[in-house]
Amino acid sequence: MSDILLMHKRIDLGASPVLYDRPFTPEHLAEDWEVRNATWQCDADGLLGANPVPGPGVIMSRRTFPGNVLLDFRARTVLPSTHDIDVMWNLTWDEAANRRGAAYVAGIQGWWDGKVGIEKSPDYRLVAAAPCPWFEPGREYHVQAGSIDGHCFVVVDGVLRLELFDPNPIDSSVHNRVGFEAYQSMVRIRQLTVRQIAWQRRRMAYANEF
């Protein structure tokens, strides 16, 4: 199990306790998850989400996961859908407005122009995104996403694709559910593991080159 190397941090996956790893089944869907909008169902291939409208189609955990967490899973778009594999953590639902409240939202092949990105709900004033020309619709990817005290990251197939530092981190003692989103897309999710992040500081320095 490879460590994840971030700026100034090393995530030790082997030492990061597993908080949740139940497979996606119809029984576990009913027991462990809340469907807030769109269509979400489970079959032999895992979790399937479908949302034809231009907005977040959300499924979220019933259980809370406070602290620094990492979501590790396999995901793909389901053709003819070609975009938006989206995951959330430090999440709450605004019951009064019937919409997502606070959350970090990470996505692959999103933001209309085909980007890997991270945004902070509900104000969306903190956003980072970069092109992902490597994305192939229908191909399954191994995704690892989460944050350490507001230091957010997305790793795809073992490659760190994006980091984002939030100067005002979401309070995970209050906002602490996890979930997935289909944004005008159809996605397949399987093999989810939620971990509490164990990490150490890294000394960052250049080697002398001349």
Side-chain angles (χ1 to χ4, degrees):
M1 188 177 295
S2 299
D3 292 351
I4 295 176
L5 302 182
L6 305 176
M7 195 179 301
H8 303 296
K9 298 178 179 72
R10 178 190 302 271
I11 296 176
D12 185 344
L13 289 176
S16 298
V18 172
L19 303 177
Y20 181 88
D21 64 351
R22 298 223 292 176
F24 286 115
T25 66
E27 294 77 18
H28 295 165
L29 177 65
E31 294 170 1
D32 299 347
W33 300 90
E34 297 178 6
V35 175
R36 288 299 184 165
N37 43 35
T39 301
W40 295 89
Q41 59 189 24
C42 288
D43 56 26
D45 294 322
L47 177 66
L48 176 66
N51 176 29
V53 302
V58 172
I59 185 170
M60 58 189 289
S61 64
R62 296 183 186 276
R63 180 177 165 182
T64 61
F65 299 94
N68 298 320
V69 296
L70 176 148
L71 285 80
D72 185 310
F73 58 97
R74 310 279 172 164
R76 61 181 174 90
T77 60
V78 179
L79 298 175
S81 181
T82 63
H83 59 85
D84 275 271
I85 298 171
D86 301 330
V87 60
M88 303 169 288
W89 65 96
N90 290 174
L91 166 68
T92 50
W93 190 261
D94 186 333
E95 298 289 352
N98 192 31
R99 65 175 186 177
R100 180 172 54 211
Y104 292 119
V105 185
I108 302 170
Q109 194 66 6
W111 287 269
W112 303 282
D113 284 328
K115 295 178 180 178
V116 56
I118 303 168
E119 63 186 12
K120 184 181 181 181
S121 175
D123 296 328
Y124 306 105
R125 295 174 184 168
L126 182 68
V127 182
C132 50
W134 41 266
F135 181 83
E136 299 176 22
R139 175 183 167 184
E140 184 176 79
Y141 293 94
H142 178 202
V143 183
Q144 296 165 301
S147 61
I148 301 170
D149 302 326
H151 182 176
C152 305
F153 58 89
V154 180
V155 176
V156 182
D157 287 346
V159 178
L160 178 63
R161 293 295 183 178
L162 196 67
E163 293 180 80
L164 172 67
F165 291 85
D166 182 1
N168 185 27
I170 294 174
D171 184 352
S172 70
S173 69
V174 177
H175 311 286
N176 44 36
R177 298 193 186 191
V178 301
F180 297 95
E181 170 188 297
Y183 192 102
Q184 204 170 358
S185 62
M186 186 158 50
V187 295
R188 171 76 69 180
I189 312 290
R190 66 186 188 93
Q191 294 184 2
L192 169 67
T193 300
V194 181
R195 292 180 179 272
Q196 199 88 65
I197 296 175
W199 65 281
Q200 300 89 35
R201 293 199 176 275
R202 293 175 64 209
R203 180 179 178 272
M204 308 292 291
Y206 287 117
N208 291 332
E209 296 179 328
F210 57 89

